[in-house]
């Protein structure tokens, strides 16, 4: 069965510094996608970054990068040059895929990031 | 482009009343999801549809919950009768499902339900 684990309930980072949010996953399927979402205090779920299981390179989107280590089944999110607006809950998620059809998306417990000025 | 649109954004209702949450997915997307978020249980998938057909409803809590997708641009989640423990944020989400990053699921802003 699929499982996503985020072991850091809360993290603090100084403004302008980089921070890594941990995520490990478990699946027996060879084809899957890994996602990170941001949920600010206003409540919406904002898609940040995607990594496919067959992608050779780590995904990057602006200040976000995903440190994908397939053998270790980890997909850590790295936020560079933290900003006050990065303070939010961050969720790691995984979705298995079947012939380009996506299955259900399951989420980790989330990590609450606080950026200090 | 319009994102996933949910209504109502906020609803307060009395125990025993029927609640209907509505969702319009992103145009062209072929998969639709209903999630529930609570402090205790986190984000739970209730049901998801592909091409308007329910694929997995194993997360639907009980018979009080039902979901429909009569066409590609509209879905409802109904709770009848509602109970205080149904208080949560209900998210609708959709995806295009073309493979790769095309499998990204995009969320609406959520419907905040309070049952008193």
């Amino acid at each position: 069965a699929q499982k996503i684990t985020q072991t850091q309930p809360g993290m603090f980072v100084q403004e302008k510094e980089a921070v890594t949010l941990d995520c490990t996953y478990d699946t027996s399927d060879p084809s899957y996608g890994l996602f990170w979402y941001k949920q600010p205090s206003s409540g919406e779920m904002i898609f940040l970054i995607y990594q496919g299981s067959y992608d050779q390179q780590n995904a990057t989107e602006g200040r976000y990068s995903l440190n994908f280590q397939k053998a270790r089944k980890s997909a850590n999110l790295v936020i560079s040059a933290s900003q006050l607006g990065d303070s939010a809950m961050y969720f790691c998620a995984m979705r298995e895929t079947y012939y380009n059809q996506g299955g259900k998306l399951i989420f980790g417990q989330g990590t609450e990031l606080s950026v200090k000025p | 482009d319009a994102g996933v649109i949910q209504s109502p954004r906020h609803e307060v209702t009395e125990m025993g009343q029927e609640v209907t949450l509505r969702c319009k997915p992103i145009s062209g997307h072929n998969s639709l999801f209903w999630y529930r978020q609570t402090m205790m249980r986190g984000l739970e998938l209730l049901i998801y549809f592909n091409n308007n057909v329910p694929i997995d409803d194993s997360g639907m809590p009980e018979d009080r919950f039902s979901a429909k997708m009569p066409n590609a641009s509209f879905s409802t989640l109904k709770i009848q009768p509602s109970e205080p423990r149904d208080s949560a944020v209900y998210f609708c989400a959709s995806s295009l499902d073309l493979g790769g990053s095309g499998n990204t699921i995009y969320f609406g802003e959520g419907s905040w339900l309070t049952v008193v």
Side-chain angles (χ1 to χ4, degrees):
Chain A
Q2 294 176 290
K3 187 177 181 181
I4 294 279
T5 302
Q6 295 179 254
T7 57
Q8 306 154 312
M11 291 275 289
F12 289 92
V13 64
Q14 204 69 36
E15 192 178 10
K16 299 181 184 177
E17 292 185 351
V19 63
T20 298
L21 306 184
D22 293 342
C23 173
T24 58
Y25 62 92
D26 191 20
T27 181
S28 56
D29 285 295
S31 180
Y32 51 89
L34 297 158
F35 304 82
W36 278 91
Y37 290 83
K38 173 184 178 182
Q39 187 175 40
S41 57
S42 51
E44 68 266 36
M45 292 287 287
I46 302 167
F47 164 69
L48 295 178
I49 195 167
Y50 162 85
Q51 178 84 44
S53 59
Y54 294 118
D55 294 344
Q56 295 297 313
Q57 293 190 321
N58 287 341
T60 60
E61 288 286 348
R63 294 186 299 110
Y64 303 109
S65 61
L66 201 152
N67 184 1
F68 181 45
Q69 297 186 45
K70 193 171 183 177
R72 296 180 61 185
K73 293 189 175 179
S74 73
N76 299 339
L77 177 70
V78 180
I79 305 174
S80 62
S82 297
Q83 302 172 356
L84 296 178
D86 294 335
S87 294
M89 184 73 83
Y90 289 82
F91 291 96
C92 180
M94 178 172 65
R95 191 178 187 203
E96 293 171 346
T97 57
Y98 315 97
Y99 303 101
N100 286 343
Q101 291 289 321
K104 55 188 178 183
L105 185 71
I106 64 162
F107 285 86
Q109 307 91 314
T111 295
E112 185 163 8
L113 178 66
S114 298
V115 180
K116 296 180 177 180
Chain B
D1 288 342
V4 177
I5 299 172
Q6 292 187 244
S7 65
R9 291 295 316 280
H10 296 88
E11 174 133 353
V12 180
T13 191
E14 291 186 347
M15 183 173 63
Q17 296 297 306
E18 178 179 292
V19 174
T20 299
L21 307 178
R22 298 173 178 80
C23 175
K24 177 178 169 54
I26 294 172
S27 178
H29 280 195
N30 57 12
S31 289
L32 183 139
F33 307 79
W34 283 100
Y35 281 86
R36 177 172 68 176
Q37 186 178 30
T38 60
M39 289 293 292
M40 291 296 293
R41 301 173 70 92
L43 279 154
E44 304 174 276
L45 176 66
L46 299 178
I47 186 170
Y48 89 91
F49 297 84
N50 182 259
N51 291 322
N52 310 339
V53 176
I55 302 300
D56 186 341
D57 65 354
S58 59
M60 294 287 264
E62 49 201 90
D63 292 345
R64 296 185 298 106
F65 285 68
S66 62
K68 293 182 180 179
M69 191 165 186
N71 57 61
S73 58
F74 184 67
S75 177
T76 59
L77 177 68
K78 188 173 292 187
I79 308 172
Q80 165 65 15
S82 58
E83 297 182 2
R85 59 190 168 127
D86 302 329
S87 297
V89 182
Y90 291 82
F91 286 102
C92 179
S94 70
S95 65
L96 183 57
D97 286 358
L98 279 183
S101 61
N103 286 351
T104 298
I105 296 176
Y106 296 92
F107 284 74
E109 293 183 313
S111 292
W112 298 63
L113 174 65
T114 303
V115 183
V116 297

